[in-house]
Each structure stands twice: as C-alpha cells, then as structure tokens.
Amino acid sequence: MIKVSVMYANAPGARFDHEYYRDKHMPLVKAKLGNYCKYYTVDKGLAGGAPGAPAPYIGMCHIFCDSVEAFQAGFGPHAQEIMADIPNYTDQAPVLQISEVVVG
Amino acid sequence: MIKVSVMYANAPGARFDHEYYRDKHMPLVKAKLGNYCKYYTVDKGLAGGAPGAPAPYIGMCHIFCDSVEAFQAGFGPHAQEIMADIPNYTDQAPVLQISEVVVG
C-alpha cells in the first residue's frame, strides 16, 4: 500500500478553509478516484515541536492506494478538475509526497 | 484524536535505516508511551509530486493519541531516552507537527 500525502505549508497569513476541505474538496477527490482510493485521512495543523512553534503544515490529506500506478490511474483523468478546486480553500501550493506504508 | 507526525527531511545523502526504525525505534516509542499511544504508523518516502522529484521526507511516523496532553504525559518522561536513539537510524533532525485528526 502507498499513501499520497498532500501538504499545505503554514505560511504566515496562509488561507485555508478546513470545513470546505473536509466537506467539499476531499469528498470530490474520493468521488473522482473511486475505488483507486481505498480511503483517505485529513489533518488540521495545531502546533510544531517547540513550545509556541507553529505547525509546519496548515492542512494535509493522505490518500491510500494499492500502488503508485493505481493512484495515477485514478487521479490522472481528473487532475485538472481536482486541482482547479484548490483556490476554493487555500492560497497555498500543495507539497506532494508518495510514501510506502511500512506500518499502517 | 491528535497525531504527532515526526518527519525526517530527505536531504542529499541523508542516512536513514528503515529497518531499524520499524523494528527497533518505533517499538521502543510504543513501549515507552504505553496506552498514551493508541497506535502509530510508519512511512518510507518514495517520490515527490513532479516526475523524478525526490520525496520531501525520507521517513515519517505518526503517533496517534487522545490529546496533546496525553502525548506529553507519555512522551515527556522518556523523551531523553527516545531521542538518544535517533543517531542509531538517521543523521537528520526530526521535524515535528501536531495535528488534529479531522478525518481518521
């Protein structure tokens, strides 16, 4: 299993609509990817490691798929529509990481 | 529920022993935190978003707890011992993020 982590930097003044992300954007992603997305999780940044430090990322999602190929097959045909929705909840560019799930 | 994400940058030439991390370090963390850690997950970085781009993080773990206070109660008394184990698997300093689990 792999996970695709989409991370939005917690830049000073960054805009991020957590409700829209949870209620509209991520359900859209799941609907478009269908069974290529086994499930997904969503995080809201609270804090960093040092006392008073901000979270590195204001929001994140993690999309779990059987393989990189499965993600690409599910995401590719809908990439344009999904990415066009980003300005509806943030002014930050997403940072992507694909990981192997070692312990899930 | 909150998650504490511990992320190790994929710096050029970074050292990271994924087997040690999975088989020794993370079980140590779980043993020390006890029930304060509900469960944890481990990721191995594979790739970034753009074709050929490296993963931003070479390895990550995510520690799930009932609250920030629960994490602190479990981690605090063992912080020194846990952090002293870091050089056994990496030369990278961990980046921490505490997040609220919005969708788990």
Side-chain angles (χ1 to χ4, degrees), chain B residues 60-79:
Chain B
M60 294 193 256
C61 78
H62 310 279
I63 299 166
F64 293 79
C65 303
D66 280 332
S67 64
V68 175
E69 291 72 25
F71 172 75
Q72 290 170 332
F75 183 75
H78 309 286

Side-chain angles (χ1 to χ4, degrees), chain A residues 44 46-47 57 97-98 100, chain B residues 44 46-47 57 97-98 100:
Chain A
K44 178 181 180 176
L46 293 179
Y57 299 104
Q97 162 133 1
I98 301 175
E100 177 189 334
Chain B
K44 177 181 181 175
L46 293 178
Y57 299 103
Q97 161 131 1
I98 301 175
E100 176 188 334

Side-chain angles (χ1 to χ4, degrees), chain B residues 29-93:
Chain B
V29 170
K30 173 61 181 158
K32 294 298 175 187
L33 268 65
N35 287 334
Y36 288 119
C37 169
K38 313 302 284 183
Y39 65 99
Y40 67 86
T41 63
V42 175
D43 304 333
K44 177 181 181 175
L46 293 178
Y57 299 103
I58 195 168
M60 294 193 256
C61 78
H62 310 279
I63 299 166
F64 293 79
C65 303
D66 280 332
S67 64
V68 175
E69 291 72 25
F71 172 75
Q72 290 170 332
F75 183 75
H78 309 286
Q80 202 170 355
E81 183 179 354
I82 291 170
M83 293 177 72
D85 190 45
I86 294 178
N88 290 327
Y89 59 87
T90 191
D91 55 4
Q92 295 298 302

